[in-house]
Amino acid sequence: MPMRRAITGRSQEPRRRYAEELRLLRTSRGLSLRELAKAVGWDPSLFRKLESGETLGGPEVAEALDKYHGTPGLLLAMWEMAVADPTQFKEQYRRYMTLEAEAVSLWQYSVSILPGLLQTDAYAREVLALGGYKGAELDQQVTARTGRRLLLEGADAPPFRALISETALRTPLRDEVAWREQLDYLLEVSERPNITLQALPDRSGLHGLVSTDVMFLRLTSGTTVAYTENAHRGELVEENAAVERLQRAYDAMRDQALGPAESRKFILRVLEEVPCEPAT
């Protein structure tokens, strides 16, 4: 099938198109970035980054711009499409991201880093920076990763179970305030009906996934695929026998993990051990 001709001449990539539309709406009204920022209530640097594609901002920014420009729901819809666009991820991850967005249920084991679907912006930024990202590319990848949180929100959100090792829960961010916010966020999402968090204590000993993060995706076709990842590479596993072996290892670990209620208490204890900022 031939590629569809671009009627408007503007980009058909959701992220880039969102940036173009924001710039067009502003310039069509003869506004500078500073004037728009003053009218809507954010810093001009945010709108510069939005229009350059460095960041997507949050849904509250899209909603505020919809209200200001008189485009109810349009920019928010474009923002949602941009956040979900798999092309914003590195090429080797795109097929997995497409499957993740279509999954009817998800379950994961995290060995040393908290699940990507449950990371705050600050946590994602520090992890991605350690991977070599910086500048505008870092901003883009943080937005892409944290935008995945939308998958677990709303009435139709799929069920998600995460087994999280004690190591991941006790490895802090450099910024203690940001680390407290991350642990608070884990406690918050653990109360959602579609999310089950279970802590795997170190005392559980060695197990079949001792050095490997793994995510299982149950697809609409009824099949299950797995994505395994270590510090250097990730691999999408689709062969049934290989997926079954990983599932057996996961099930054995789940039997050793704390239950959801005990896991929340465990996370709370970890949170209470984080030093608070001194009162001023």
Side-chain angles (χ1 to χ4, degrees):
M1 179 181 294
M3 182 177 294
R4 184 175 69 85
R5 182 170 64 92
I7 303 296
T8 63
R10 296 197 291 276
S11 177
Q12 296 180 66
E13 295 181 9
R15 186 185 183 97
R16 189 174 301 173
R17 181 61 173 269
Y18 181 60
E20 290 178 355
E21 292 299 329
L22 292 179
R23 185 166 54 253
L24 179 63
L25 284 168
R26 176 181 62 81
T27 57
S28 67
R29 300 180 69 162
L31 296 170
S32 68
L33 289 170
R34 188 171 298 278
E35 288 170 332
L36 177 62
K38 183 177 180 180
V40 181
W42 270 275
D43 190 273
S45 63
L46 171 62
F47 295 101
R48 177 186 60 77
K49 290 180 179 180
L50 286 169
E51 292 186 13
S52 67
E54 291 179 44
T55 183
L56 292 175
E60 66 281 356
V61 180
E63 290 176 320
L65 289 170
D66 263 332
K67 183 176 180 180
Y68 180 75
H69 289 301
T71 55
L74 173 63
L75 294 176
L76 181 60
M78 294 187 71
W79 176 86
E80 290 177 338
M81 292 178 67
V83 167
D85 180 20
T87 63
Q88 65 190 308
F89 298 100
K90 294 294 185 180
E91 187 173 355
Q92 64 265 36
Y93 302 128
R94 290 177 186 174
R95 174 162 162 72
Y96 167 76
M97 293 303 170
T98 298
L99 294 175
E100 181 184 81
E102 298 172 355
V104 296
S105 65
L106 311 91
W107 57 107
Q108 177 170 12
Y109 169 62
S110 294
V111 63
S112 59
I113 295 175
L114 298 179
L117 288 171
L118 302 179
Q119 293 178 8
T120 61
D121 291 16
Y123 191 98
R125 180 170 295 276
E126 185 165 321
V127 170
L128 289 165
L130 289 172
Y133 292 103
K134 56 186 176 181
E137 187 178 24
L138 175 60
D139 290 338
Q140 179 179 338
Q141 290 302 309
V142 169
T143 301
R145 176 169 293 192
T146 58
R148 293 165 60 202
R149 295 194 302 251
L150 292 174
L151 179 68
L152 301 180
E153 298 177 6
D156 297 327
F160 174 58
R161 177 186 297 272
L163 301 185
I164 307 176
S165 73
E166 181 175 344
T167 297
L169 290 168
R170 290 191 179 278
T171 303
L173 298 176
R174 295 187 180 95
D175 185 329
E176 291 175 348
V177 174
W179 179 232
R180 290 183 64 86
E181 290 174 351
Q182 174 64 77
L183 293 173
D184 273 328
Y185 184 68
L186 290 180
L187 290 169
E188 174 193 329
V189 299
S190 71
E191 300 289 350
R192 294 183 192 171
N194 65 308
I195 296 179
T196 302
L197 298 189
Q198 291 183 256
L200 185 71
D202 288 343
R203 66 174 184 270
S204 300
L206 297 175
H207 51 75
L209 298 173
V210 69
S211 62
T212 304
D213 278 24
V214 61
M215 171 75 94
F216 298 95
L217 307 175
R218 185 73 169 174
L219 307 179
T220 54
S221 63
T223 60
T224 298
V225 300
Y227 184 79
T228 60
E229 191 171 27
N230 57 33
H232 305 290
R233 64 188 297 268
E235 179 184 7
L236 185 64
V237 181
E238 299 182 80
E239 198 269 320
N240 289 340
V243 172
E244 177 65 23
R245 285 193 297 272
L246 290 168
Q247 281 188 285
R248 285 198 297 268
Y250 183 92
D251 289 343
M253 292 164 53
R254 186 179 60 188
D255 292 342
Q256 300 179 62
L258 300 178
E262 287 300 314
S263 295
R264 283 192 292 271
K265 293 178 183 178
F266 185 91
I267 296 170
L268 183 58
R269 288 196 297 272
V270 174
L271 175 60
E272 290 170 345
E273 294 170 5
V274 180
C276 295
E277 286 188 305
T280 56

